[in-house]
Amino acid sequence: MIDQLIPAIIAFILVSVLSPLFIELLRKLKLLQPIRKELPSNHQIKKGTPLMFGIILFIGMIVSLFFSPTPLMYFLVITYILFSFIGFMDDFWKASRQDPGGVSGKTKLFFQFLFTGALLFYVMNEFGIDTTINIYQDFSFDLPIVVYFIVITLFIVGSANAINFTDGLDGLLGVVAIPTYFFFFMISDKSEVQLFCLIMIGCLLGFLIYNIFPARAFMGDTGSLAIGGSLSFLAIIEKVEILIPVLFFIYFAEQLSVIVQVASFKLTRKRIFRMTPIHYHYGLKYGWSETTIVTVFGFVSWICTFICFAYWKFVLHP
């Protein structure tokens, strides 16, 4: 345990110390956040905040490989980097052109499906990930490999985007993602997974010093898509697909709110929520502050984590 805590503490210190320098660099390069016109007035004042701050989390990848240069750790790091690359393209377009729209959705989806398919094919062949879905200890069902591959590819791409939607308020994704990484740390018997998760928690804690309200810099898709990709693949590696609806509850609620809102408006010309993703709704309809929303969503994420741990402990592995 101590051997794993030390790298996490190192990652936390490095992110904490180097973040001000990196934020200043982003300002000098004028890689700043444009703001969509439809967002509330309290978000308009955030225009010009440094974007792509998620790059600082790459420190965690370096620390991870330094302390555990194993095939599985390389896979986790490469997964993180590939999804981060997609987010980087989007962020760089937004910041350099001051275009809130970023890269087209089709372009991002193309790369997400390409990288996900290649990574999933590799992890299934190299690390022996089977096609069974475990329901409880003595019951599981085995999907045909093609069906499993298609379903899991859709799940990973969908989950990565759902997690990306969650990055909409100061500190929100960091606060919600820490419990999710902690869940995988608790259940895994793989030292690389445990180390990777602890290091990511250390990085996110250091990151939150500068990202909680009022944020001095924004993670951007560079960080949020990378977190989404890594968490989704951790669920596959640990074979807890059955727990994903609960474990990723906040992320899916954010994504589902957008889907429901769009569908409702197209069908009835009426909106169910004041604004989506749903975290905006709580501020506009109920007057919750950003800090309140982040705190509540983080608390729900911790509850979901411990519900999933209890199911894993007493149902899947009693």
Side-chain angles (χ1 to χ4, degrees), residues 216-284:
R216 293 175 55 185
F218 295 142
M219 178 185 294
D221 289 7
T222 305
S224 59
L225 271 178
I227 289 172
S230 68
L231 286 174
S232 299
F233 268 98
L234 284 171
I236 304 308
I237 291 170
E238 294 300 326
K239 299 300 298 175
V240 290
E241 298 94 338
I242 190 63
L243 298 178
I244 295 307
V246 177
L247 186 64
F248 286 12
F249 175 78
I250 291 291
Y251 314 126
F252 288 154
E254 295 273 27
Q255 185 179 53
L256 186 61
S257 69
V258 176
I259 296 171
V260 170
Q261 184 88 323
V262 171
S264 175
F265 189 75
K266 285 185 176 181
L267 292 172
T268 67
R269 310 306 294 177
K270 294 182 180 179
R271 292 180 173 87
I272 295 176
F273 305 104
R274 292 285 295 274
M275 183 175 286
T276 57
I278 198 171
H279 53 253
Y280 294 123
H281 176 76
Y282 288 99
L284 290 172

Side-chain angles (χ1 to χ4, degrees), residues 185-204:
F185 165 75
M186 288 193 297
I187 70 166
S188 183
D189 59 358
K190 303 173 184 66
S191 60
E192 299 96 333
V193 170
Q194 292 178 331
L195 181 61
F196 181 83
C197 290
L198 278 185
I199 288 174
M200 281 304 301
I201 290 171
C203 286
L204 287 172

Side-chain angles (χ1 to χ4, degrees), residues 71-124:
L72 180 54
M73 186 62 82
Y74 269 103
F75 174 81
L76 294 172
V77 169
I78 290 171
T79 297
Y80 187 95
I81 291 172
L82 289 178
F83 277 88
S84 183
F85 168 76
I86 302 170
F88 175 85
M89 288 193 304
D90 194 43
D91 286 341
F92 189 77
W93 181 287
K94 291 176 183 175
S96 62
R97 299 171 180 250
Q98 285 298 289
D99 174 15
V103 174
S104 71
K106 290 181 179 178
T107 300
K108 289 189 288 186
L109 281 175
F110 170 78
F111 281 105
Q112 287 174 31
F113 277 108
L114 177 66
F115 292 159
T116 298
L119 290 166
L120 185 57
F121 179 82
Y122 179 83
V123 77
M124 290 176 68

Side-chain angles (χ1 to χ4, degrees), residues 2-307:
I2 298 298
D3 292 341
Q4 294 172 331
L5 278 176
I6 291 174
I9 293 171
I10 291 173
F12 167 77
I13 293 172
L14 288 174
V15 171
S16 301
V17 171
L18 295 178
S19 284
L21 300 176
F22 187 63
I23 292 172
E24 186 59 31
L25 176 63
L26 290 172
R27 287 192 182 280
K28 288 183 177 180
L29 294 174
K30 295 183 179 181
L31 296 173
L32 309 175
Q33 173 76 59
I35 299 295
R36 293 181 307 173
K37 293 180 180 179
E38 63 268 23
L39 288 180
S41 58
N42 62 321
H43 285 267
Q44 297 300 325
I45 61 175
K46 298 180 181 183
K47 183 177 181 179
T49 302
L51 186 60
M52 300 165 63
F53 186 36
I55 294 176
I56 198 71
L57 300 177
F58 271 65
I59 288 174
M61 304 304 102
I62 297 171
V63 174
S64 296
L65 289 178
F66 180 82
F67 282 93
S68 181
T70 65
L72 180 54
M73 186 62 82
Y74 269 103
F75 174 81
L76 294 172
V77 169
I78 290 171
T79 297
Y80 187 95
I81 291 172
L82 289 178
F83 277 88
S84 183
F85 168 76
I86 302 170
F88 175 85
M89 288 193 304
D90 194 43
D91 286 341
F92 189 77
W93 181 287
K94 291 176 183 175
S96 62
R97 299 171 180 250
Q98 285 298 289
D99 174 15
V103 174
S104 71
K106 290 181 179 178
T107 300
K108 289 189 288 186
L109 281 175
F110 170 78
F111 281 105
Q112 287 174 31
F113 277 108
L114 177 66
F115 292 159
T116 298
L119 290 166
L120 185 57
F121 179 82
Y122 179 83
V123 77
M124 290 176 68
N125 282 276
E126 294 298 320
F127 299 110
I129 303 299
D130 58 41
T131 61
T132 59
I133 304 294
N134 301 315
I135 306 301
Y136 50 87
Q137 185 187 22
D138 298 320
F139 180 73
S140 63
F141 57 90
D142 192 8
L143 294 176
I145 189 167
V146 174
V147 174
Y148 181 86
F149 192 89
I150 293 173
V151 169
I152 296 303
T153 297
L154 291 172
F155 151 71
I156 292 173
V157 172
S159 296
N161 282 290
I163 292 171
N164 185 38
F165 275 127
T166 309
D167 183 34
L169 299 179
D170 296 359
L172 179 58
L173 180 54
V175 168
V176 173
I178 286 174
T180 316
Y181 277 115
F182 186 65
F183 169 78
F184 290 115
F185 165 75
M186 288 193 297
I187 70 166
S188 183
D189 59 358
K190 303 173 184 66
S191 60
E192 299 96 333
V193 170
Q194 292 178 331
L195 181 61
F196 181 83
C197 290
L198 278 185
I199 288 174
M200 281 304 301
I201 290 171
C203 286
L204 287 172
L205 288 173
F207 167 86
L208 283 171
I209 294 174
Y210 306 94
N211 186 243
I212 55 174
F213 184 83
R216 293 175 55 185
F218 295 142
M219 178 185 294
D221 289 7
T222 305
S224 59
L225 271 178
I227 289 172
S230 68
L231 286 174
S232 299
F233 268 98
L234 284 171
I236 304 308
I237 291 170
E238 294 300 326
K239 299 300 298 175
V240 290
E241 298 94 338
I242 190 63
L243 298 178
I244 295 307
V246 177
L247 186 64
F248 286 12
F249 175 78
I250 291 291
Y251 314 126
F252 288 154
E254 295 273 27
Q255 185 179 53
L256 186 61
S257 69
V258 176
I259 296 171
V260 170
Q261 184 88 323
V262 171
S264 175
F265 189 75
K266 285 185 176 181
L267 292 172
T268 67
R269 310 306 294 177
K270 294 182 180 179
R271 292 180 173 87
I272 295 176
F273 305 104
R274 292 285 295 274
M275 183 175 286
T276 57
I278 198 171
H279 53 253
Y280 294 123
H281 176 76
Y282 288 99
L284 290 172
K285 184 173 178 63
Y286 302 108
W288 289 12
S289 67
E290 286 196 42
T291 303
T292 299
I293 296 169
V294 170
T295 301
V296 171
F297 278 38
F299 181 69
V300 172
S301 184
W302 277 110
I303 291 175
C304 292
T305 289
F306 287 112
I307 289 173

